[in-house]
Amino acid sequence: MTFVIALLIAFADINSVKSEPDLEKRSELALANADRAIDEARQAYNSGNDQAQQAALVEVQESVEASYAALEHSNKNPRRSKYYKNAELKVRALVRRLTSFREEVGFETRQSVDAVIKKLSDVHDQLISDVMSKKK
């Protein structure tokens, strides 16, 4: 089973992730896709392909947004859902990875990386707020 999930993640893109019917699984697949997209952005930057780097950064942002949207649509109580906490931890790790990537890129590219970091930080803050609030 783990091999099948690993294979799915290796060939996944955001559109195939969005087609997953299980919302919690969709959230996890989207975050794994975002992690892979950061690797792609780093490879594209190292090879000098600015368009591929921008596309990978957009995919990171879309993947994290899709993950959060899937959790919201699951209608589960965030305080009792392990998937919210897992998402919070993974998004925090993604923000750290993007922050270190920001330090590697040139000055002219930092603005686009900063925009993605800000969006991921906003999603991270919302996840924490959902888990800590008593509503829902």
Side-chain angles (χ1 to χ4, degrees):
M1 182 68 171
T2 306
F3 176 73
V4 173
I5 292 174
L7 188 62
L8 180 64
I9 290 170
F11 295 109
D13 65 344
I14 190 62
N15 293 325
S16 64
V17 167
K18 287 181 179 178
S19 67
E20 171 62 42
D22 182 4
L23 294 173
E24 282 115 1
K25 191 177 202 180
R26 182 186 308 171
S27 172
E28 289 183 344
L29 289 173
L31 291 173
N33 187 55
D35 193 45
R36 182 193 50 78
I38 291 174
D39 293 336
E40 289 178 3
R42 182 171 272 125
Q43 289 174 351
Y45 176 74
N46 290 334
S47 67
N49 189 345
D50 291 336
Q51 291 178 340
Q53 176 191 341
Q54 289 302 319
L57 288 173
V58 167
E59 187 158 346
V60 170
Q61 183 173 332
E62 288 178 359
S63 295
V64 171
E65 289 170 348
S67 172
Y68 182 68
L71 288 174
E72 280 188 315
H73 292 285
S74 71
N75 293 326
K76 302 258 173 111
N77 184 350
R79 290 179 66 90
R80 301 196 193 289
S81 174
K82 70 178 183 179
Y83 295 100
Y84 270 88
K85 184 60 179 174
N86 289 341
E88 185 268 325
L89 293 172
K90 290 177 182 176
V91 171
R92 182 175 50 181
L94 292 172
V95 169
R96 282 195 307 261
R97 288 193 66 205
L98 278 175
T99 302
S100 70
F101 176 60
R102 180 192 178 278
E103 300 302 320
E104 294 175 20
V105 300
F107 181 74
E108 61 280 347
T109 309
R110 285 188 182 170
Q111 188 174 11
S112 60
V113 177
D114 284 339
V116 177
I117 290 172
K118 178 167 180 1
K119 183 60 184 170
L120 267 62
S121 294
D122 291 345
V123 170
H124 180 257
D125 292 345
Q126 188 61 44
L127 283 165
I128 290 176
S129 175
D130 290 347
V131 169
M132 299 304 288
S133 70
K134 291 189 178 185
K135 288 185 175 181
K136 223 170 189 184

